[in-house]
Amino acid sequence: MNLQETITKRFKEVFGTDGTLYASAGRINLIGEHTDYNGGFVFPGAIDKVIMAEIKPNGTDKCHVVSIDQNQEVEFGLNEADAPKEMWARYIFGVCRETIKRGGKVEGFDAVFAGNVPLGAGLSSSAALESCFAFALNDLFNDNSIDKFELARIGQSTEHNYCGVNCGIMDQFASVFGKKDHLMRLDCRSMEYEYFPFDPKGYKLVLVDSVVKHELVDSPYNKRRESCERVAKRLGMETLRDATMEDLNAIKGDITAEDYLRAKFVIGEKDRVLAVCDALEKGDYETVGKKMYETHEGLSKDYEVSCEELDFLNDLARREGVTGSRIMGGGFGGCTINLVADDRYDHFIKTAVKEFNDRYGHEPRIYDVVISDGARRV
Ligand code: ADP
Ligand code: MG
């Protein structure tokens, strides 16, 4: 049984009727890392891994939700005091609350949901879950009057206010706005976005998950952020968004070597996103791949957020003739994202699994992804 059949069968068993099906997607970010808080660009796309839910208003003020994957059923009311204890249910409760806080209507409903976005692998299963329900509540109770950006913000606020995750907007944006065969360049300063065609015929996108997460001491992310802010301030700018390498080199003697390297990465990364957009418009995936390697190099040597396992996977990708490869996400563990020519794919995966396992004692996980639609009624 596929996901949809499993969900509809269960809904019928539990609630004795049919509801409406909705889905939303996980996401990748092709390029544009650590740029969001520097007022730069990110370049995500939704993927063919989703959270799907069947939902039906039940005429009460209670929500009855079944999680197939967690094998749990939870009932909650819609007032602030009704927050469920189960983490997965808090995402749904949060979406209800954030919709209500914005003046939207939410009434009791029955729901069954399941998904195939790997949890905690950096593909944002939580954003898929939030976006699926935010889209559904907008359709079922609000005549789709809440605009899509607000749906993304409902998901983001859910993370902040109900799940203790202080995230940016990219994941929910990508999940809500995702479009088949397109990536989206989001300007994190103006919040303007643009679709770019991404249909890499002859290549595959594949994530190699190292399944390691290094415990971090002395909040290295905050330190990176502070470096960027110091350099921007020294340049008399609000963020590094408008800074050029010439600007940076002109003040090189006045800042620490470390701050210089951090800013160098951020400025380079902004230019790389723009270069990738140009390349995509020409269908030039070899240049896209080259920029991905440059990003990895910058994240590893200048921003210093890589780790041994990720550098190992990146070196291996180069040796295997993979077109592009880089760390995806904040760093210090997680996945690499790889753009691989079809005829290199099998050998690359086989070698990566074997050599990584030989060296680190466990196999990496492999996730093939295809750029697909975001939030929708199924
Ligand atoms: P990710 O990087 O995948 O977003 P998070 O830790 O932010 O990782 O979110 C994962 C959480 O989202 C899970 O612990 C669970 O509470 C919820 N979740 C995601 N997918 C599902 C699912 N298929 N069923 C139930 N809950 C899910
Ligand atoms: Mg998440």
Side-chain angles (χ1 to χ4, degrees):
M1 261 195 300
N2 65 24
L3 199 57
Q4 181 170 340
E5 289 163 353
T6 307
I7 292 167
T8 51
K9 181 166 174 284
R10 188 69 174 272
F11 194 94
K12 192 115 200 164
E13 282 166 11
V14 179
F15 300 112
T17 173
D18 297 319
T20 309
L21 273 165
Y22 298 91
S24 196
R27 62 100 191 93
I28 53 98
N29 185 34
L30 188 71
I31 198 160
E33 215 63 77
H34 290 280
T35 45
D36 50 351
Y37 53 85
N38 286 299
F41 301 101
V42 291
F43 203 44
I47 58 174
D48 57 336
K49 312 225 178 311
V50 300
I51 296 281
M52 192 181 280
E54 182 164 356
I55 310 181
K56 186 176 182 151
N58 59 20
T60 75
D61 57 0
K62 294 275 189 294
C63 302
H64 186 165
V65 186
V66 177
S67 164
I68 292 181
D69 301 325
Q70 303 282 333
N71 196 19
Q72 283 181 325
E73 300 189 24
V74 166
E75 192 180 86
F76 54 81
L78 289 164
N79 297 309
E80 196 60 30
D82 298 328
K85 279 183 285 302
E86 293 77 2
M87 197 55 216
W88 62 266
R90 293 180 73 86
Y91 288 97
I92 300 165
F93 175 76
V95 167
C96 295
R97 288 297 308 158
E98 291 296 335
T99 303
I100 292 167
K101 285 184 203 169
R102 285 164 174 77
K105 187 170 127 185
V106 182
E107 293 173 351
F109 58 80
D110 298 330
V112 171
F113 78 102
N116 52 20
V117 188
L119 272 64
L123 296 177
S124 222
S125 64
S126 62
L129 177 54
E130 292 145 11
S131 305
C132 177
F133 278 83
F135 187 93
L137 299 181
N138 193 27
D139 189 48
L140 288 167
F141 298 113
N142 296 281
D143 289 328
N144 291 300
S145 60
I146 306 171
D147 84 64
K148 281 174 90 178
F149 234 107
E150 210 50 41
L151 295 183
R153 290 197 197 284
I154 285 170
Q156 182 192 22
S157 300
T158 294
E159 301 258 359
H160 293 182
N161 299 330
Y162 298 91
C163 308
V165 180
N166 194 15
C167 60
I169 192 73
M170 175 174 79
D171 299 352
Q172 290 78 12
F173 166 81
S175 186
V176 170
F177 284 84
K179 185 160 123 185
K180 188 176 182 313
D181 298 335
H182 288 79
L183 297 176
M184 297 158 283
R185 186 180 72 198
L186 175 66
D187 181 333
C188 297
R189 181 166 66 182
S190 67
M191 289 294 139
E192 285 166 356
Y193 63 93
E194 198 177 326
Y195 287 96
F196 286 82
F198 185 83
D199 183 17
K201 287 202 174 54
Y203 300 87
K204 292 190 202 316
L205 262 187
V206 60
L207 302 181
V208 180
D209 184 356
S210 66
V211 211
V212 300
K213 276 199 177 73
H214 292 285
E215 287 304 323
L216 303 174
V217 284
D218 66 7
S219 44
Y221 293 115
N222 290 344
K223 284 193 164 169
R224 302 295 181 285
R225 221 177 158 127
E226 285 158 18
S227 285
C228 296
E229 284 165 7
R230 264 197 303 276
V231 176
K233 195 164 165 210
R234 178 66 190 73
L235 289 168
M237 297 171 178
E238 199 156 322
T239 64
L240 290 175
R241 165 63 177 271
D242 295 316
T244 63
M245 274 315 289
E246 290 76 59
D247 295 334
L248 180 64
N249 285 326
I251 60 157
K252 190 170 181 180
D254 307 339
I255 58 177
T256 66
E258 188 174 283
D259 284 1
Y260 176 83
L261 286 178
R262 306 301 189 243
K264 174 174 167 243
F265 168 76
V266 171
I267 294 168
E269 187 69 355
K270 178 189 61 189
D271 293 340
R272 280 188 287 275
V273 175
L274 299 176
V276 162
C277 292
D278 284 346
L280 281 182
E281 283 182 324
K282 296 181 200 124
D284 175 5
Y285 288 91
E286 293 300 314
T287 297
V288 171
K290 213 171 125 238
K291 295 291 160 190
M292 292 168 74
Y293 278 116
E294 286 174 22
T295 291
H296 186 92
E297 189 81 4
L299 286 168
S300 181
K301 304 258 162 58
D302 297 338
Y303 221 61
E304 296 182 279
V305 293
S306 188
C307 59
E308 203 199 304
E309 294 88 344
L310 292 174
D311 286 343
F312 178 83
L313 287 172
N314 191 260
D315 289 342
L316 190 145
R318 264 185 212 279
R319 258 192 289 124
E320 286 293 310
V322 169
T323 304
S325 179
R326 70 174 197 85
I327 300 167
M328 191 180 81
F332 303 113
C335 294
T336 60
I337 178 167
N338 304 273
L339 180 66
V340 196
D342 287 342
D343 60 354
R344 302 262 176 175
Y345 177 88
D346 287 342
H347 197 265
F348 167 54
I349 297 300
K350 220 172 84 191
T351 311
V353 169
K354 176 167 190 314
E355 292 194 10
F356 191 92
N357 188 32
D358 286 349
R359 183 155 180 145
Y360 298 107
H362 67 270
E363 292 189 354
R365 298 198 181 122
I366 308 297
Y367 304 118
D368 291 297
V369 296
V370 175
I371 301 304
S372 303
D373 286 327
R376 60 194 182 266
R377 193 168 155 160
V378 178

